[in-house]
Amino acid sequence: MACKYFARAVGSEYEVLSAFGADEAVGILREHHARISVLVTDFRMPGRDGGDLLRQVALEFPQIVRILVTAYADKDMLLETVNTGEVFRILEKPIGVADVREVLRLAGERYRERTVRQQRLMAIRASKLDAYRALTEQVYGQQIDANSTVADMIMTNDTFRAKVEGLIYGARLVSITPVGDDTYETTLSLDRNAVQDLRVLYLTQVASRNR
């Protein structure tokens, strides 16, 4: 199915951006990737083949769902392309309009699932970063003695800084709880003796310097 016939067949339901080779397709993707959810490519094209294009798209635009069209029943070639280009579907020529529409419908669903999953992962990652940031502020504000906080000590002592960083990033992940649409709350926990251990380390180093 040539590009112009493909666009005519599904253009009433989808916005279709056409390219006549892999390099042109990559150029369009780089400029408009935020608008593109599905890539349909023939295997045989001028210049680089569709398998090469699919592999590049899998690396640069992994969120885009990829469909391969081919008239060739080379199973080894198809297997390599599927494995390295993460192909969602293979359409073998000749293909009918109904088949194309059904595959595009399924590809659209896959894209939406990927988008939701990616948004969820980003929200969870942001929640964890916020939790570590809050924990860091709490630990840094702890008093080591009457005149010094943890934050004061890490500015002057590399050993102490390494101990504090290890303590914070070794915190136990208690829970990640959804609190709204794409919003999560992360709870971290430190051993109750952790700050006391920092005090002991500080006092030990002070005593060593005073000998």
Side-chain angles (χ1 to χ4, degrees):
M1 183 180 290
C3 287
K4 63 179 180 180
Y5 297 118
F6 179 88
R8 187 180 303 166
V10 302
S12 61
E13 302 170 68
Y14 304 95
E15 179 185 8
V16 178
L17 303 177
S18 299
F20 297 96
D23 292 335
E24 184 182 357
V26 170
I28 291 173
L29 287 166
R30 287 175 176 165
E31 183 176 358
H32 301 289
H33 62 89
R35 297 164 48 198
I36 298 172
S37 56
V38 180
L39 169 71
V40 181
T41 180
D42 205 324
F43 183 80
R44 292 292 176 90
M45 296 186 294
R48 294 192 293 149
D49 62 40
D52 194 28
L53 172 61
L54 289 169
R55 285 187 287 273
Q56 183 174 355
V57 173
L59 290 173
E60 293 190 28
F61 312 99
Q63 77 281 6
I64 293 177
V65 181
R66 297 168 290 281
I67 298 170
L68 176 65
V69 178
T70 180
Y72 305 94
D74 185 332
K75 293 183 179 180
D76 291 336
M77 175 275 294
L78 292 177
L79 181 61
E80 180 184 359
T81 301
V82 169
N83 288 339
T84 58
E86 298 179 7
V87 178
F88 175 65
R89 287 287 190 278
I90 293 176
L91 292 175
E92 292 191 42
K93 299 177 181 180
I95 54 177
V97 172
D99 293 332
V100 171
R101 287 176 173 164
E102 176 62 12
V103 169
L104 288 177
R105 183 187 68 79
L106 295 172
E109 291 179 358
R110 174 63 64 86
Y111 177 80
R112 286 187 289 274
E113 290 170 0
R114 285 182 179 178
T115 300
V116 170
R117 184 166 60 249
Q118 182 65 20
Q119 289 173 342
R120 183 181 300 118
L121 290 173
M122 291 176 64
I124 290 173
R125 186 178 298 117
S127 172
K128 291 173 70 175
L129 288 174
D130 286 342
Y132 278 109
R133 188 178 299 113
L135 180 62
T136 299
E137 291 176 357
Q138 291 178 26
V139 172
Y140 279 21
Q142 294 294 314
Q143 291 290 141
I144 295 296
D145 62 15
N147 300 312
S148 301
T149 65
V150 170
D152 296 327
M153 288 305 303
I154 67 171
M155 297 296 293
T156 59
N157 190 307
D158 290 339
T159 301
F160 199 80
R161 180 188 298 112
K163 177 71 173 179
V164 171
E165 290 176 352
L167 176 70
I168 292 170
Y169 289 107
R172 184 170 66 90
L173 177 62
V174 176
S175 64
I176 300 176
T177 307
V179 294
D181 292 340
D182 293 328
T183 305
Y184 293 82
E185 180 179 78
T186 297
T187 302
L188 300 172
S189 175
L190 285 178
D191 186 284
R192 65 178 58 188
N193 295 320
V195 175
Q196 181 61 31
D197 291 342
L198 292 177
R199 291 194 180 98
V200 171
L201 175 63
Y202 166 72
L203 294 174
T204 299
Q205 292 182 347
V206 170
S208 297
R209 288 198 300 268
N210 292 334
R211 287 177 183 172

